[in-house]
Structure formats: C-alpha cells, structure tokens
Amino acid sequence: MTDEHGEHGEHGEHGEHGEHDGHDEPLDGRAGDDALDCDRVEEELRGAAAVLDPVPAALRELAVEAYALHDLDARIAELAFDSLVDALPVRGATDVPRMLTFRAGELTVDLEVTDEGLLGQLLPPQQARIEVLSGPQAGASLTADALGRFTSDAPPAGPFALRLRTGGEVVVTEWLRA
C-alpha cells in the first residue's frame, strides 16, 4: 500500500493479510522486457560457451553419426535387467561378467559382456544379423545361429548398442556404457 507520497507503507506491496495488490510489473517499471533480457543473456552465454568451452569436433561428429544410425522403423529393445544394478553381489566373486537383458515385445536379448567379448542369445531362438554399434566407426557384424546364439571376440569399448535384423524386422537395444 502506498501513501500520498508514493511510498510503500508498513505492509509493502501486499495487503494487510499478505494478498497481492494486483500489480505484476517489476519494481523498475519494465514490464515485458524480462523476456528480451533473458533472450539476450542466453545469447551471450551461448557465445561465451562457444568461445571458452567449445564442443569438440569429434563429439559433434559422434552425435551426428549416432543420429544417422537411428532407424525410424526400428523397435527399441528396452533394458529389463542389468547385473550392475539389479543383481545381488556374491561374496568373494571377482571379474564377474555383466549380464544384460533387453526386451522388445516378444523378443528377448540376453547378453553377457566380459573383457573377452560378448556372448548372447535371442529368445525365441531365431537367426539374425547383429551389428555392435559403437559410435561413428563401423561395429562388429555378428550372426545369430538357428538357436539364437551369437558371440564376439571383441569387447565393446565405450557406449554401445546392438542392431538386430530378424527377417524384415529391425530392433535396436538401448545404448549402454561397457
């Protein structure tokens, strides 16, 4: 509340019981300029980040390549089990393999990741062509046999995913860090 001299009284801009007096303008009287100020600040911060901490060219290329690997018609196999998160630790066990299970509808992909490579199986058992995706470089090409089993002698390094081609269907697992 203001007195005849334009000064706020003892209750400020809120009424006696804390209710707002209906004025939403900033104290300096610049209503509507806040959005412009935020846009300018954001633009200046982006410019400073581009100069002081630019995105490395390799990372930018990796992002573009990863997006290019995206299959619009592919189904995503979601992570259903990860032994790093879901399994109970076994006392005295060392160098245990990482066990992963992905699901996409009726298809299940069980995968064991070790320092020696990958060992996996598709359920229900079926043949498939499998690519190990690991960024911009071409990944390993694997083949699942009639029982759905596949192996790779090369362990994935860094983020990886699997792209499975079973008949006319394409399934891509979620990306994980090895």
Side-chain angles (χ1 to χ4, degrees), residues 94-152:
T94 60
D95 295 329
V96 293
R98 184 175 184 188
M99 306 298 290
L100 303 167
T101 300
F102 298 94
R103 289 204 177 91
E106 299 297 317
L107 179 67
T108 299
V109 180
D110 286 324
L111 187 64
E112 182 177 308
V113 182
T114 67
D115 291 337
E116 289 81 40
L118 302 175
L119 176 65
Q121 184 171 18
L122 306 178
L123 297 169
Q126 57 191 294
Q127 293 182 330
R129 289 179 296 139
I130 302 167
E131 298 169 74
V132 180
L133 307 174
S134 58
Q137 59 272 26
S141 291
L142 311 173
T143 303
D145 63 16
L147 296 176
R149 301 173 300 190
F150 60 94
T151 62
S152 169

Coordinates of all heavy atoms in Angstrom, one line a residue, residues 94-152:
T94 N 35.0 -62.4 -8.1 CA 35.7 -61.3 -8.8 C 35.6 -61.5 -10.3 O 35.4 -62.6 -10.8 CB 37.2 -61.3 -8.4 OG1 37.8 -62.6 -8.7 CG2 37.4 -61.0 -6.9
D95 N 35.7 -60.5 -11.1 CA 35.7 -60.5 -12.5 C 34.4 -61.2 -13.0 O 34.5 -62.0 -14.0 CB 36.9 -61.2 -13.1 CG 38.2 -60.4 -12.8 OD1 38.1 -59.1 -12.7 OD2 39.3 -61.0 -12.7
V96 N 33.3 -60.9 -12.4 CA 32.0 -61.5 -12.9 C 31.6 -60.8 -14.1 O 31.8 -59.6 -14.3 CB 30.9 -61.4 -11.8 CG1 31.3 -62.3 -10.6 CG2 30.7 -60.0 -11.3
P97 N 31.0 -61.5 -15.1 CA 30.6 -60.8 -16.3 C 29.3 -60.0 -16.0 O 28.6 -60.2 -15.1 CB 30.2 -62.0 -17.2 CG 29.9 -63.2 -16.3 CD 30.8 -62.9 -15.1
R98 N 29.2 -59.0 -16.9 CA 28.0 -58.2 -16.8 C 26.9 -58.8 -17.6 O 27.1 -59.1 -18.8 CB 28.3 -56.8 -17.4 CG 27.1 -55.8 -17.2 CD 27.5 -54.4 -17.7 NE 26.4 -53.5 -17.5 CZ 26.4 -52.2 -17.9 NH1 27.5 -51.8 -18.6 NH2 25.4 -51.4 -17.7
M99 N 25.8 -59.1 -17.0 CA 24.6 -59.7 -17.6 C 23.6 -58.6 -17.9 O 23.2 -57.9 -17.0 CB 24.0 -60.8 -16.7 CG 25.1 -61.8 -16.2 SD 25.8 -62.8 -17.6 CE 24.4 -63.7 -18.1
L100 N 23.1 -58.6 -19.2 CA 22.1 -57.7 -19.6 C 20.9 -58.4 -20.3 O 21.1 -59.4 -21.0 CB 22.7 -56.7 -20.6 CG 23.9 -55.9 -20.2 CD1 24.6 -55.2 -21.3 CD2 23.5 -54.9 -19.1
T101 N 19.7 -57.9 -20.1 CA 18.5 -58.5 -20.8 C 17.8 -57.3 -21.3 O 17.4 -56.3 -20.6 CB 17.6 -59.3 -19.8 OG1 18.4 -60.4 -19.3 CG2 16.4 -59.8 -20.5
F102 N 17.5 -57.4 -22.6 CA 16.7 -56.4 -23.4 C 15.4 -57.0 -23.8 O 15.4 -58.2 -24.2 CB 17.5 -55.8 -24.6 CG 18.8 -55.2 -24.2 CD1 20.0 -55.9 -24.2 CD2 18.8 -53.8 -23.9 CE1 21.2 -55.2 -23.9 CE2 20.0 -53.2 -23.6 CZ 21.2 -53.9 -23.6
R103 N 14.3 -56.3 -23.9 CA 13.1 -56.8 -24.4 C 12.4 -55.8 -25.3 O 12.4 -54.6 -25.1 CB 12.1 -57.0 -23.2 CG 12.5 -58.2 -22.4 CD 11.4 -58.8 -21.6 NE 11.8 -60.0 -20.9 CZ 12.2 -60.0 -19.7 NH1 12.3 -58.9 -19.0 NH2 12.6 -61.1 -19.1
A104 N 11.9 -56.4 -26.4 CA 11.1 -55.6 -27.4 C 10.0 -56.5 -27.8 O 10.1 -57.4 -28.6 CB 11.9 -55.2 -28.6
G105 N 8.8 -56.3 -27.2 CA 7.7 -57.2 -27.5 C 7.9 -58.6 -27.0 O 8.3 -58.8 -25.9
E106 N 7.8 -59.5 -28.0 CA 8.1 -60.9 -27.7 C 9.6 -61.3 -27.7 O 10.0 -62.4 -27.3 CB 7.3 -61.8 -28.6 CG 5.8 -61.7 -28.6 CD 5.2 -62.1 -27.2 OE1 5.7 -63.1 -26.7 OE2 4.4 -61.3 -26.7
L107 N 10.4 -60.4 -28.3 CA 11.8 -60.7 -28.4 C 12.6 -60.3 -27.2 O 12.4 -59.2 -26.6 CB 12.4 -59.9 -29.6 CG 13.9 -60.1 -29.9 CD1 14.2 -61.6 -30.3 CD2 14.4 -59.1 -30.9
T108 N 13.4 -61.3 -26.7 CA 14.3 -61.0 -25.6 C 15.7 -61.2 -26.1 O 16.0 -62.2 -26.8 CB 14.0 -62.0 -24.4 OG1 12.7 -61.8 -24.0 CG2 15.0 -61.8 -23.3
V109 N 16.6 -60.3 -25.7 CA 18.0 -60.5 -26.0 C 18.8 -60.6 -24.7 O 18.8 -59.6 -23.9 CB 18.6 -59.2 -26.8 CG1 20.0 -59.4 -27.1 CG2 17.7 -59.0 -28.0
D110 N 19.4 -61.7 -24.4 CA 20.2 -61.9 -23.2 C 21.7 -61.7 -23.7 O 22.1 -62.3 -24.7 CB 20.0 -63.3 -22.6 CG 18.7 -63.5 -21.9 OD1 18.3 -62.5 -21.3 OD2 18.1 -64.5 -22.0
L111 N 22.4 -61.0 -22.9 CA 23.8 -60.6 -23.3 C 24.7 -60.7 -22.1 O 24.4 -60.2 -21.0 CB 23.8 -59.2 -23.9 CG 25.1 -58.7 -24.6 CD1 25.4 -59.5 -25.8 CD2 24.9 -57.2 -25.0
E112 N 25.9 -61.3 -22.3 CA 26.9 -61.4 -21.3 C 28.1 -60.6 -21.9 O 28.6 -60.8 -23.0 CB 27.3 -62.8 -21.1 CG 28.4 -63.0 -20.0 CD 28.7 -64.5 -19.8 OE1 27.7 -65.2 -19.6 OE2 29.9 -64.8 -19.9
V113 N 28.6 -59.6 -21.1 CA 29.7 -58.7 -21.5 C 30.9 -59.0 -20.6 O 30.8 -58.9 -19.4 CB 29.3 -57.2 -21.4 CG1 30.4 -56.3 -21.9 CG2 28.0 -56.9 -22.2
T114 N 32.0 -59.4 -21.2 CA 33.2 -59.7 -20.4 C 34.4 -59.0 -21.1 O 34.2 -58.3 -22.1 CB 33.5 -61.2 -20.4 OG1 33.9 -61.6 -21.7 CG2 32.3 -62.0 -19.9
D115 N 35.5 -59.1 -20.5 CA 36.7 -58.5 -21.1 C 37.2 -59.2 -22.3 O 37.9 -58.7 -23.1 CB 37.9 -58.5 -20.1 CG 37.7 -57.6 -18.9 OD1 36.9 -56.6 -19.0 OD2 38.3 -57.9 -17.8
E116 N 36.6 -60.4 -22.5 CA 37.0 -61.2 -23.7 C 36.0 -61.0 -24.9 O 36.3 -61.4 -26.0 CB 37.0 -62.7 -23.4 CG 38.2 -63.1 -22.5 CD 37.9 -62.8 -21.0 OE1 36.8 -63.0 -20.5 OE2 38.9 -62.4 -20.4
G117 N 34.9 -60.4 -24.6 CA 33.9 -60.2 -25.7 C 32.5 -60.3 -25.3 O 32.1 -60.1 -24.1
L118 N 31.6 -60.6 -26.2 CA 30.2 -60.7 -26.0 C 29.7 -62.1 -26.2 O 30.2 -62.8 -27.1 CB 29.4 -59.8 -26.9 CG 29.7 -58.3 -26.9 CD1 28.9 -57.6 -28.0 CD2 29.3 -57.7 -25.6
L119 N 28.7 -62.6 -25.5 CA 28.1 -63.9 -25.6 C 26.6 -63.6 -25.4 O 26.2 -63.0 -24.4 CB 28.6 -64.9 -24.6 CG 27.9 -66.2 -24.6 CD1 28.2 -67.0 -25.9 CD2 28.4 -67.0 -23.4
G120 N 25.8 -64.0 -26.4 CA 24.4 -63.6 -26.3 C 23.5 -64.7 -26.9 O 23.9 -65.6 -27.6
Q121 N 22.2 -64.5 -26.7 CA 21.2 -65.4 -27.2 C 19.8 -64.6 -27.4 O 19.5 -63.8 -26.5 CB 20.9 -66.6 -26.4 CG 19.9 -67.6 -27.0 CD 19.8 -68.9 -26.2 OE1 20.2 -69.0 -25.1 NE2 19.3 -69.9 -26.9
L122 N 19.2 -64.9 -28.5 CA 17.9 -64.3 -28.8 C 16.8 -65.3 -28.4 O 16.9 -66.5 -28.7 CB 17.7 -64.0 -30.3 CG 18.8 -63.1 -30.9 CD1 18.5 -63.0 -32.4 CD2 18.9 -61.8 -30.2
L123 N 15.7 -64.9 -27.8 CA 14.6 -65.7 -27.4 C 13.3 -65.0 -27.9 O 13.1 -63.9 -27.6 CB 14.6 -65.9 -25.9 CG 15.8 -66.7 -25.3 CD1 15.7 -66.6 -23.8 CD2 15.8 -68.1 -25.8
P124 N 12.4 -65.7 -28.6 CA 12.6 -67.1 -29.0 C 13.8 -67.2 -30.0 O 14.1 -66.3 -30.7 CB 11.2 -67.4 -29.7 CG 10.7 -66.0 -30.1 CD 11.3 -65.0 -29.1
P125 N 14.3 -68.5 -30.0 CA 15.5 -68.7 -30.8 C 15.2 -68.4 -32.3 O 14.2 -68.8 -32.8 CB 15.8 -70.2 -30.6 CG 15.2 -70.5 -29.3 CD 14.0 -69.6 -29.2
Q126 N 16.1 -67.7 -32.9 CA 16.0 -67.4 -34.3 C 17.3 -66.8 -34.9 O 18.1 -66.4 -34.1 CB 14.9 -66.3 -34.5 CG 15.1 -65.0 -33.7 CD 13.9 -64.2 -33.7 OE1 13.5 -63.7 -34.8 NE2 13.3 -64.0 -32.6
Q127 N 17.4 -66.9 -36.2 CA 18.6 -66.4 -36.8 C 18.4 -64.9 -37.0 O 17.3 -64.4 -37.1 CB 18.8 -67.0 -38.2 CG 19.1 -68.5 -38.1 CD 19.3 -69.1 -39.5 OE1 18.8 -68.7 -40.5 NE2 20.2 -70.1 -39.6
A128 N 19.6 -64.2 -36.9 CA 19.5 -62.8 -37.1 C 20.9 -62.3 -37.5 O 21.9 -62.9 -37.2 CB 19.1 -62.1 -35.8
R129 N 20.9 -61.1 -38.1 CA 22.2 -60.4 -38.3 C 22.3 -59.3 -37.3 O 21.3 -58.6 -37.0 CB 22.2 -59.8 -39.7 CG 22.4 -60.8 -40.8 CD 22.4 -60.2 -42.2 NE 21.1 -59.5 -42.4 CZ 20.9 -58.3 -43.0 NH1 21.9 -57.6 -43.4 NH2 19.7 -57.9 -43.1
I130 N 23.4 -59.2 -36.6 CA 23.6 -58.3 -35.5 C 24.8 -57.4 -35.7 O 25.8 -57.9 -36.1 CB 23.8 -59.1 -34.2 CG1 22.6 -60.0 -34.0 CG2 24.0 -58.2 -33.0 CD1 22.8 -61.1 -32.9
E131 N 24.6 -56.1 -35.5 CA 25.7 -55.2 -35.6 C 25.9 -54.6 -34.2 O 25.0 -54.2 -33.5 CB 25.3 -54.0 -36.5 CG 25.1 -54.4 -37.9 CD 24.5 -53.2 -38.7 OE1 25.2 -52.3 -39.0 OE2 23.3 -53.3 -38.9
V132 N 27.2 -54.6 -33.8 CA 27.5 -53.9 -32.5 C 27.8 -52.5 -32.8 O 28.8 -52.2 -33.5 CB 28.7 -54.6 -31.8 CG1 29.1 -53.9 -30.5 CG2 28.5 -56.1 -31.6
L133 N 27.0 -51.6 -32.4 CA 27.1 -50.2 -32.7 C 28.0 -49.5 -31.6 O 27.8 -49.8 -30.4 CB 25.8 -49.5 -32.7 CG 24.7 -50.1 -33.7 CD1 23.4 -49.4 -33.5 CD2 25.2 -50.0 -35.1
S134 N 29.0 -48.8 -32.0 CA 29.9 -48.1 -31.0 C 30.3 -46.8 -31.5 O 31.5 -46.5 -31.4 CB 31.1 -49.0 -30.7 OG 31.8 -49.3 -31.9
G135 N 29.4 -46.0 -32.0 CA 29.8 -44.6 -32.4 C 29.9 -44.6 -33.9 O 29.4 -45.4 -34.7
P136 N 30.8 -43.7 -34.4 CA 30.9 -43.4 -35.8 C 31.6 -44.6 -36.6 O 31.3 -44.8 -37.7 CB 31.7 -42.1 -35.9 CG 32.4 -42.0 -34.7 CD 31.6 -42.7 -33.6
Q137 N 32.5 -45.3 -35.9 CA 33.2 -46.4 -36.6 C 32.2 -47.6 -36.8 O 31.3 -47.8 -36.0 CB 34.4 -46.8 -35.9 CG 34.3 -47.3 -34.4 CD 34.3 -46.2 -33.4 OE1 34.0 -45.0 -33.7 NE2 34.7 -46.5 -32.2
A138 N 32.4 -48.3 -37.8 CA 31.6 -49.5 -38.1 C 31.8 -50.5 -37.0 O 33.0 -50.8 -36.7 CB 32.0 -50.1 -39.5
G139 N 30.8 -51.0 -36.5 CA 30.9 -52.0 -35.4 C 31.0 -53.4 -36.0 O 31.0 -53.7 -37.2
A140 N 31.2 -54.4 -35.1 CA 31.4 -55.8 -35.5 C 30.0 -56.3 -36.0 O 29.0 -55.9 -35.5 CB 31.8 -56.6 -34.3
S141 N 30.1 -57.1 -37.0 CA 28.9 -57.8 -37.6 C 28.9 -59.2 -37.1 O 29.9 -59.9 -37.2 CB 29.0 -57.8 -39.1 OG 28.8 -56.5 -39.6
L142 N 27.8 -59.6 -36.5 CA 27.7 -60.9 -35.9 C 26.5 -61.6 -36.5 O 25.6 -61.0 -37.1 CB 27.5 -60.8 -34.4 CG 28.4 -60.0 -33.6 CD1 28.0 -59.8 -32.2 CD2 29.8 -60.5 -33.7
T143 N 26.4 -63.0 -36.4 CA 25.3 -63.7 -36.9 C 24.8 -64.6 -35.8 O 25.6 -65.4 -35.2 CB 25.7 -64.6 -38.1 OG1 26.3 -63.7 -39.1 CG2 24.5 -65.3 -38.7
A144 N 23.5 -64.6 -35.5 CA 22.9 -65.5 -34.6 C 22.5 -66.7 -35.3 O 21.9 -66.7 -36.4 CB 21.7 -64.8 -33.9
D145 N 22.8 -67.9 -34.7 CA 22.5 -69.2 -35.4 C 21.0 -69.5 -35.2 O 20.3 -68.7 -34.6 CB 23.4 -70.3 -34.9 CG 23.3 -70.6 -33.4 OD1 22.3 -70.1 -32.8 OD2 24.2 -71.2 -32.8
A146 N 20.6 -70.7 -35.6 CA 19.2 -71.1 -35.5 C 18.7 -71.2 -34.1 O 17.5 -71.1 -33.8 CB 19.0 -72.5 -36.2
L147 N 19.6 -71.3 -33.1 CA 19.3 -71.4 -31.7 C 19.3 -70.0 -31.1 O 19.1 -69.8 -29.9 CB 20.2 -72.3 -30.9 CG 20.0 -73.8 -31.3 CD1 21.0 -74.6 -30.6 CD2 18.6 -74.3 -31.1
G148 N 19.6 -68.9 -31.9 CA 19.6 -67.6 -31.5 C 20.9 -67.2 -30.8 O 21.0 -66.1 -30.2
R149 N 22.0 -68.0 -30.8 CA 23.2 -67.7 -30.1 C 24.2 -66.9 -31.0 O 24.2 -67.1 -32.2 CB 23.9 -69.1 -29.7 CG 23.0 -69.9 -28.8 CD 23.7 -71.3 -28.6 NE 23.9 -71.9 -29.9 CZ 24.2 -73.2 -30.1 NH1 24.4 -73.9 -29.0 NH2 24.3 -73.7 -31.3
F150 N 24.9 -66.0 -30.4 CA 25.9 -65.2 -31.1 C 27.1 -64.9 -30.1 O 26.9 -64.8 -28.9 CB 25.3 -64.0 -31.7 CG 24.7 -63.0 -30.7 CD1 25.4 -62.0 -30.2 CD2 23.4 -63.2 -30.3 CE1 24.9 -61.1 -29.3 CE2 22.8 -62.3 -29.4 CZ 23.5 -61.3 -28.9
T151 N 28.3 -64.7 -30.7 CA 29.4 -64.3 -29.9 C 30.3 -63.3 -30.7 O 30.2 -63.2 -31.9 CB 30.3 -65.5 -29.6 OG1 30.8 -66.1 -30.8 CG2 29.6 -66.6 -28.8
S152 N 31.1 -62.6 -29.9 CA 32.1 -61.6 -30.5 C 33.3 -61.7 -29.6 O 33.2 -61.8 -28.4 CB 31.5 -60.2 -30.4 OG 32.5 -59.3 -30.7

